[in-house]
Amino acid sequence: MSDKPKIGISIGDVNGIGLEIIIKTLSDARIYDYCTPIVYGHTKVASFHRRAIHVNEFNFNVIDNAGNAQHKKPNMINCWEEDVRIDMGKVTPEGGKYAFISLQRATDDLLSGHIDGLVTAPINKDNIQNDDFKFPGHTEYLQHRDSKEDSLMFLVNDNLRVGVVTGHIPVSRIAQSITAEKIVNKLKLMNSSLRDDFWIRKPKIAVLGLNPHAGDNGLIGNEEKDVIIPAIEEARANDVLAFGPYAADGFFANGTYMQFDAVLAMYHDQGLIPFKQIAFETGVNYTAGLSFVRTSPDHGTAYDIAGRNMASEVSFREALFTAIHVIKHRRETAELNENPLLFSKLSRDRD
């Protein structure tokens, strides 16, 4: 029996680039030295995408359940029986319907312990909406399925890690949604993830301000003085090494982010725009604070290039390997917690 993690993969919108980047990633045989991938979709849909990008020497091993996965092959669980109309590069109801079926089936297996982690290909947040998916995105859906009160959208690569206090909400609601309690909770989630998932023993976290120039001592806004600074002080009182607030523009422009293990931004674009500029194709979206491991590439469905063999699989491959590494770290952390003497020795070695 292999101890390699079984990684479930949801295919995302069938009219986007999801299956293209999945096929390109799994075409590298070296992947199977590190994990056993299980894709939740249908071989007919996969074959359509495979032909569209002119990949001939690749086939999925069809299985009925995750327990039958072959460790040296790309596995596929067929999640529906009917034929699916594919309109490459277009937003259609079918694109959302089958993206959800794939995600739901993969999440069911994840929560049942049949797979060890989940990598999600991009969805369209509009056409996937239905009676069972009334969420702004993957993060909120998976948090709900895991029965967690909170989670952290955490964008990571080798050089930068950025989390956000508020995620997929309108800009007009950002200021009223930011509270000291919410900031402290996000900092605690980030601190725990850095320690347990990324094995950074004493993480240093930078906190960005909300307003330009971090409020300029109240000249441009009071959120820093009234909300963010008290939250930082409370977090530090709870053994979280948080610093700030920093003005976002200068913080990234002058490279200050390189002095920290992670950055907490106040809202989506404040954190994701610089992250995507700095991380290029290597960025990964990781959902911290859940009982399971979930990652995704840091890009969308890319309808404009779907089916044209132009999509880069680099971010998806990074998402797959990030999931593998975090699963490994969590397993080793669990073993260390059961063996305090070994944990003490490893802590000394880290120092």
Side-chain angles (χ1 to χ4, degrees):
M1 181 176 178
S2 173
D3 62 353
K4 293 183 298 183
K6 290 181 178 178
I7 306 296
I9 299 172
S10 61
I11 62 172
D13 193 309
V14 297
N15 297 324
I17 63 168
L19 273 162
E20 177 177 340
I21 57 177
I22 291 169
I23 291 169
K24 287 180 175 178
T25 297
L26 300 185
S27 293
D28 187 339
R30 293 173 295 181
I31 293 291
Y32 308 103
D33 292 334
Y34 302 97
C35 72
T36 301
I38 303 170
V39 180
Y40 292 77
H42 199 285
T43 49
K44 287 185 178 180
V45 176
S47 295
F48 184 98
H49 283 264
R50 179 179 57 79
R51 290 192 298 270
I53 61 174
H54 309 294
V55 174
N56 298 317
E57 303 299 323
F58 181 90
N59 288 290
F60 282 102
N61 174 55
V62 180
I63 57 176
D64 293 328
N65 60 75
N68 294 329
Q70 296 295 309
H71 297 298
K72 286 291 185 179
K73 294 181 180 180
N75 300 279
M76 170 77 78
I77 293 179
N78 286 332
C79 298
W80 56 82
E81 296 299 328
E82 66 273 17
D83 291 335
V84 176
R85 178 182 174 85
I86 299 175
D87 292 301
M88 204 76 85
K90 296 182 179 180
V91 181
T92 68
E94 289 81 9
K97 174 182 177 179
Y98 293 100
F100 176 70
I101 292 173
S102 169
L103 175 62
Q104 184 181 49
R105 180 73 178 273
T107 306
D108 289 345
D109 275 4
L110 186 64
L111 293 170
S112 298
H114 300 314
I115 55 177
D116 301 301
L118 173 63
V119 182
T120 58
I123 60 172
N124 180 306
K125 296 177 178 62
D126 182 26
N127 69 4
I128 197 173
Q129 298 296 318
N130 60 54
D131 290 341
D132 295 314
F133 191 104
K134 297 182 182 296
F135 303 93
H138 277 117
T139 301
E140 296 82 1
Y141 171 76
L142 292 168
Q143 176 186 321
H144 170 75
R145 290 294 308 273
D146 200 28
S147 301
K148 297 292 185 182
E149 293 185 3
D150 200 4
S151 64
L152 176 71
M153 184 189 297
F154 206 7
L155 282 295
V156 302
N157 85 337
D158 289 340
N159 301 312
L160 179 62
R161 303 176 187 89
V162 177
V164 294
V165 176
T166 59
H168 299 117
I169 65 171
V171 173
S172 60
R173 289 172 42 201
I174 290 173
Q176 68 192 48
S177 299
I178 294 174
T179 64
E181 181 183 12
K182 185 174 290 186
I183 293 171
V184 171
N185 287 341
K186 297 296 185 182
L187 284 169
K188 288 180 178 179
L189 287 172
M190 181 178 284
N191 190 65
S192 295
S193 181
L194 290 168
R195 286 172 56 91
D196 297 339
D197 299 335
F198 297 95
W199 276 30
I200 300 172
R201 187 163 184 263
K202 296 178 179 178
K204 291 174 57 181
I205 301 172
V207 180
L208 302 182
L210 172 64
N211 298 295
H213 306 288
D216 257 351
N217 293 316
L219 181 65
I220 305 177
N222 294 316
E223 284 84 2
E224 283 74 17
K225 291 196 304 181
D226 295 344
V227 179
I228 300 175
I229 291 174
I232 293 172
E233 292 173 348
E234 182 179 344
R236 290 179 68 88
N238 284 276
D239 298 321
V240 178
L241 296 180
F243 302 85
Y246 295 93
D249 54 353
F251 180 84
F252 289 106
N254 62 25
T256 304
Y257 68 89
M258 292 186 287
Q259 301 173 21
F260 295 90
D261 297 300
V263 182
L264 183 65
M266 290 297 110
Y267 57 95
H268 184 280
D269 283 12
Q270 185 188 52
L272 269 66
I273 289 174
F275 177 85
K276 292 187 177 184
Q277 177 65 29
I278 294 167
F280 297 106
E281 293 183 330
T282 63
V284 173
N285 185 355
Y286 172 58
T287 307
L290 302 181
S291 65
F292 50 77
V293 174
R294 176 262 172 166
T295 64
S296 74
D298 72 342
H299 58 72
T301 54
Y303 291 125
D304 57 323
I305 60 171
R308 299 171 63 186
N309 200 19
M310 295 173 61
S312 169
E313 74 276 19
V314 173
S315 182
F316 187 87
R317 184 172 62 238
E318 290 294 322
L320 180 61
F321 276 106
T322 298
I324 294 168
H325 291 316
V326 173
I327 290 167
K328 177 183 177 183
H329 288 161
R330 286 193 177 190
R331 286 176 174 178
E332 292 178 350
T333 297
E335 292 176 5
L336 292 171
N337 288 336
E338 294 177 0
N339 189 338
L341 293 178
L342 183 59
F343 182 83
S344 178
K345 179 181 182 302
L346 182 58
S347 296
R348 293 195 300 271
D349 292 343
R350 290 183 193 172
D351 292 339

